[in-house]
Amino acid sequence: MVTTSELDSSLADPPLPARERRPFPGVDPVAGVARPNTVQVGTIVWLASELMFFAGLFAMYFTIRSVSPALWQEGPERLDIPFSLANTTVLVLSSVWCQLGVHAAERYQARARGPWWMPWTREHGWGNWGMREWYGLTLLSGTVFVAGQAVEYAKLVAEGLTISSDAYGSVFFLTTGFHGLHVIGGLGAFVLLLAKTLSVRRFARSEAIGAIVVSYYWHFVDVVWIGLFTVIYILR
Amino acid sequence: MRIEARVFVAGMVFFAPVGIVYGVVTDWDEEVGTTAILLAAGLSGLIGLYLGALSRRIDERPEDDPAGEVSDGAGELGTFAPHSWWPLAVAVATALTFAGLAVGWWLVLIGLPLVVLATVGWVFEFQRGGYAR
């Protein structure tokens, strides 16, 4: 007598070796060869064009700084470096949490194996948390960053630096503001991704690919912020 | 995929030294051009290095075979929607929102909820109805 589960496993394809079971590069189930994933390649090409969007913002910043250097005598003095440095650290760390989430997604592990309040356990190590826990922490860190920027904006506006007060205010709020909009867009992507993994019965390749491309975007936004932070806050 | 990688890396190999030469010639005093040229190197480098890393991890595609036939490319290409109205909904909602920036903020207030609605609809189109999985 053959049970249903034995029948199922005898009909299923033999399991692929561990490396090929990962969602990236992804094995074509028909031909049995590894093929590039169009979503991942498309995301990278789009991010390359996003880099040029920020190149435009940098060009604007440097152009205005070179034609009215007087504004840069007092403008950057208003910036609160320790506060924004702490905020930057939160964003950079969120990229680390996001990457740990990617590792979980590559294992097709949606949620924690042990207690969810412990990212690290003796039996599973850093593999205890699944993609949802790590991405939830990333979402939280990103929200803290946006909230921190809102506090910073509120303080600057109260001190009289607004988008229309002078050219320094315009470029400051345009560059950091467009970056902030990108962060908010990333938070929306995290929410949609988490909702999607909660709505499917099985965490499959499509969810893993989604997690990976959102992480590409998040790392990109993080790197752009490091550039913006260096130029606006450190180099001035 | 090595050919594609090389084409894009060539852009980086060109723009990165040009950016540095530009910086030296202008005494690093003209940041606009230097940044733009170096980021152009980043533009092609990001795609080229990604494709290069990818080419080492995938098998030879039919396109990579000089003696390949069109029929060699047959098989699964990916997962695509059979038909979908959601991209149109996203486009209309986004157009309304951005038109609002020019026309008046009241239109943004109408457009933004529609953007959220259309995006959620597009993302979850395979979670509901006849295609639910």
Side-chain angles (χ1 to χ4, degrees):
Chain A
M1 174 81 187
V2 181
T3 63
T4 324
S5 65
E6 272 171 2
L7 196 65
D8 277 350
S9 60
S10 69
L11 286 174
D13 293 330
L16 293 161
R19 195 186 73 87
E20 293 176 10
R21 259 192 286 121
R22 295 175 65 190
F24 176 86
V27 175
D28 183 331
V30 178
V33 293
R35 289 263 179 264
N37 182 277
T38 47
V39 180
Q40 288 177 318
V41 176
T43 304
I44 291 290
V45 172
W46 169 65
L47 287 179
S49 78
E50 281 274 278
L51 193 63
M52 286 343 265
F53 173 81
F54 282 101
L57 291 179
F58 277 115
M60 175 191 74
Y61 181 88
F62 286 130
T63 305
I64 301 205
R65 190 177 72 165
S66 70
V67 294
S68 45
L71 288 173
W72 263 255
Q73 298 296 325
E74 41 142 356
E77 292 301 316
R78 303 171 198 244
L79 301 177
D80 187 350
I81 304 292
F83 180 82
S84 52
L85 190 66
N87 216 13
T88 303
T89 314
V90 170
L91 189 68
V92 172
L93 280 177
S94 81
S95 247
V96 177
W97 313 142
C98 189
Q99 195 54 35
L100 287 163
V102 169
H103 292 324
E106 285 181 339
R107 298 192 297 267
Y108 293 107
Q109 184 197 340
R111 28 176 210 169
R113 294 194 182 114
W116 66 266
W117 60 90
M118 290 167 77
W120 189 92
T121 59
R122 195 172 286 238
E123 33 196 327
H124 303 300
W126 289 107
N128 185 47
W129 267 12
M131 173 249 153
R132 262 177 229 154
E133 285 81 13
W134 286 119
Y135 272 48
L137 183 61
T138 315
L139 176 64
L140 194 69
S141 309
T143 313
V144 168
F145 175 81
V146 171
Q149 267 210 323
V151 170
E152 194 185 357
Y153 279 11
K155 240 177 72 188
L156 289 173
V157 170
E159 287 171 12
L161 184 73
T162 68
I163 196 163
S164 50
S165 63
D166 59 17
Y168 180 78
S170 301
V171 295
F172 175 80
F173 284 109
L174 277 177
T175 48
T176 59
F178 268 116
H179 177 269
L181 286 178
H182 277 78
V183 175
I184 292 171
L187 297 181
F190 280 125
V191 170
L192 288 173
L193 185 70
L194 287 170
K196 205 179 159 199
T197 69
L198 287 167
S199 74
V200 291
R201 277 187 218 100
R202 200 169 62 88
F203 187 90
R205 188 148 179 268
S206 129
E207 281 74 46
I209 296 287
I212 292 170
V213 296
V214 171
S215 89
Y216 287 172
Y217 176 77
W218 194 251
H219 295 320
F220 170 83
V221 168
D222 189 19
V223 169
V224 165
W225 177 253
I226 294 172
L228 280 175
F229 182 76
T230 311
V231 166
I232 296 174
Y233 291 82
I234 311 283
L235 299 177
R236 301 180 169 189
Chain B
M1 195 156 238
R2 289 208 187 85
I3 302 292
E4 288 99 323
R6 276 185 205 149
V7 168
F8 281 100
V9 167
M12 181 179 73
V13 170
F14 174 74
F15 282 117
V18 166
I20 292 167
V21 168
Y22 186 89
V24 169
V25 169
T26 57
D27 250 354
W28 301 105
D29 215 28
E30 205 283 286
E31 295 102 336
V32 180
T34 316
T35 318
I37 298 172
L38 287 178
L39 283 178
L43 163 83
S44 43
L46 179 63
I47 303 176
L49 296 177
Y50 181 82
L51 292 183
L54 188 60
S55 73
R56 278 193 291 280
R57 298 172 74 168
I58 58 171
D59 295 303
E60 195 92 326
R61 297 168 309 158
E63 299 93 298
D64 300 325
D65 180 6
E69 295 287 336
V70 173
S71 60
D72 296 345
E76 194 161 321
L77 291 177
T79 313
F80 303 100
H83 67 271
S84 176
W85 288 102
W86 288 112
L88 184 67
V90 170
V92 170
T94 314
L96 263 184
T97 309
F98 278 97
L101 295 181
V103 176
W105 285 95
W106 58 271
L107 197 54
V108 176
L109 292 180
I110 297 172
L112 266 185
L114 291 177
V115 169
V116 173
L117 192 74
T119 311
V120 170
W122 196 356
V123 171
F124 288 95
E125 69 176 332
F126 293 116
Q127 253 75 359
R128 46 192 287 279
Y131 300 112
R133 65 184 188 90

